[in-house]
Amino acid sequence: MGTSAHEMNSSTFQVSEFILLGFPGIHEFQHWISLPMALLYFVALGANLLILITIYCEASLHQPMYQFLGNLAIVDIGLATTSMPKMLAILWFDAKTISLPECFAQIYAIHAFMGMESGIFLCMAIDRYVAICYPLQYPSIVTEAFVIKATLSMLLRNGLLAIPVPVLAAQRQYCSRNEIDHCLCSNLGVISLACDDITVNRFYQLALAWLMTGSDMILVCASYALIIRSVLRLNSTEAISKALSTCSSHLILIMFYYTAIVILSVTHLAGKRVPLIPVLLNVLHIVIPPSLNPMVYALRTQELKVGFRKLFGLGEYVSRK
């Protein structure tokens, strides 16, 4: 009898929506943050679309390295669009409510896209490893079929492994609080409102982080360790410089991406004392990479610069030069 009464009370008070309060501790003037956030979002959309169009239109860019870059641009657009429109709606229009299905869908999309970004970084690291360490075998190893298989494996891995995160969150009972001190539906922020045990949720979140991002980071570091060892064996300083320049852009983005993850993990432990820091870093880690990735590649990759000029009708200028 007591059990049935408890279940009735839980179902009676089950919340139907969450309220995203925004950035904790600065609710009064958080709307000012929307200006740089909006700028980063529009830069991310414009720059990644420009890279996609350039790679599609320029035949010389139909190579594995640029095909992976195109995949990264698609993932960046998806990652930014998953969170930024709702975030700007909160900051501009005070649209703080979000239904449970929408919240769980956002949780899934963020985990899937972030996992895909890490996976594509791994694919690009393997591509550079083969290109530098086995240049003669590169055309026969990194083929179009390899790119397709690698891309599909990343889609399936991250798409499937991210499914239990929102499913487990949806199985919890939310019977009292429904206010989340965040700009988006983070899994840990949502399940912290649950009235029942969330041990399984926390365990899977940790396991997923190590299984996807952790393993990718280890393999990427191993790839670049082998690349550096191979490059240092070259006798020519010019050959060393040329080899390193082919992967410098990728290395910059990888270092930023995984360093940000490590910092975010460490600062999350201090979230109870200064809750703004992990929330702000979480948001920046979703917003900055999609806008930073295309900018770094555009500024440091000569082939992309030539493709941009041809796309904007400056092909004659390029050929004369």
Side-chain angles (χ1 to χ4, degrees):
M1 188 77 177
T3 304
S4 61
H6 175 73
E7 290 175 354
M8 186 180 297
N9 288 336
S10 296
S11 60
T12 303
F13 293 100
Q14 174 77 0
V15 301
S16 60
E17 62 185 17
F18 292 122
I19 300 175
L20 297 169
L21 299 178
F23 293 95
I26 57 170
H27 296 150
E28 299 79 11
F29 51 90
Q30 65 180 357
H31 57 278
W32 291 106
I33 300 178
S34 66
L35 299 177
M37 291 294 178
L39 179 61
L40 286 171
Y41 178 53
F42 293 129
V43 166
L45 287 183
N48 282 294
L49 283 173
L50 179 60
I51 282 184
L52 280 173
I53 294 170
T54 303
I55 292 173
Y56 177 79
C57 295
E58 182 56 42
S60 63
L61 298 179
H62 295 174
Q63 303 173 29
M65 184 176 79
Y66 296 106
Q67 289 171 335
F68 283 130
L69 180 57
N71 293 336
L72 182 63
I74 294 173
V75 170
D76 281 339
I77 291 173
L79 179 60
T81 304
T82 293
S83 53
M84 282 307 300
K86 180 60 180 177
M87 197 182 306
L88 294 176
I90 294 170
L91 299 176
W92 284 345
F93 309 112
D94 207 35
K96 296 180 179 180
T97 60
I98 183 170
S99 68
L100 267 64
E102 289 174 337
C103 189
F104 298 141
Q106 190 180 63
I107 289 174
Y108 171 77
I110 290 173
H111 280 77
F113 279 123
M114 291 191 74
M116 288 175 195
E117 180 141 352
S118 178
I120 291 173
F121 278 142
L122 174 59
C123 293
M124 296 172 82
I126 294 172
D127 172 76
R128 292 300 85 202
Y129 165 71
V130 177
I132 293 174
C133 298
Y134 301 96
L136 298 179
Q137 293 92 335
Y138 179 79
S140 60
I141 296 175
V142 186
T143 60
E144 187 173 348
F146 174 85
V147 175
I148 294 173
K149 289 177 182 177
T151 303
L152 287 177
S153 66
M154 287 301 105
L155 285 172
L156 288 173
R157 185 196 74 167
N158 299 293
L160 293 176
L161 289 178
I163 290 176
V165 179
V167 170
L168 289 171
Q171 290 178 346
R172 304 279 68 83
Q173 290 292 322
Y174 303 95
C175 53
S176 55
R177 297 173 298 146
N178 69 336
E179 294 183 340
I180 305 173
D181 231 0
H182 210 306
C183 292
L184 48 86
C185 286
S186 69
N187 183 47
L188 294 178
V190 170
I191 62 174
S192 65
L193 302 179
C195 304
D196 50 354
D197 186 40
I198 60 171
T199 304
V200 175
N201 302 68
R202 290 183 177 276
F203 176 79
Y204 190 81
Q205 176 83 31
L206 181 63
L208 187 65
W210 277 106
L211 189 63
M212 291 199 307
T213 308
S215 61
D216 289 347
M217 183 167 59
I218 292 170
L219 292 173
V220 166
C221 291
S223 298
Y224 272 96
L226 294 172
I227 288 173
I228 292 172
R229 188 184 71 172
S230 178
V231 166
L232 292 178
R233 288 178 177 177
L234 299 174
N235 296 323
S236 170
T237 305
E238 183 180 350
I240 293 176
S241 176
K242 184 177 180 181
L244 291 176
S245 67
T246 61
C247 56
S248 60
S249 301
H250 183 219
L251 189 57
I252 290 171
L253 297 178
I254 282 176
M255 290 177 64
F256 175 83
Y257 183 81
Y258 289 117
T259 301
I261 287 180
V262 172
I263 293 173
L264 181 60
S265 301
V266 172
T267 54
H268 191 80
L269 299 175
K272 291 183 178 180
R273 295 183 180 179
V274 190
L276 175 63
I277 294 177
V279 170
L280 186 59
L281 288 176
N282 193 3
V283 170
L284 291 177
H285 190 243
I286 291 175
V287 175
I288 290 182
S291 55
L292 179 67
N293 294 346
M295 300 297 289
V296 171
Y297 274 104
L299 292 174
R300 298 184 61 86
T301 308
Q302 185 62 33
E303 291 83 357
L304 271 178
K305 291 180 183 178
V306 173
F308 293 149
R309 289 169 181 167
K310 288 183 179 180
L311 185 67
F312 289 112
L314 301 174
E316 294 182 6
Y317 170 76
V318 173
S319 60
R320 272 194 248 114
K321 195 173 180 180

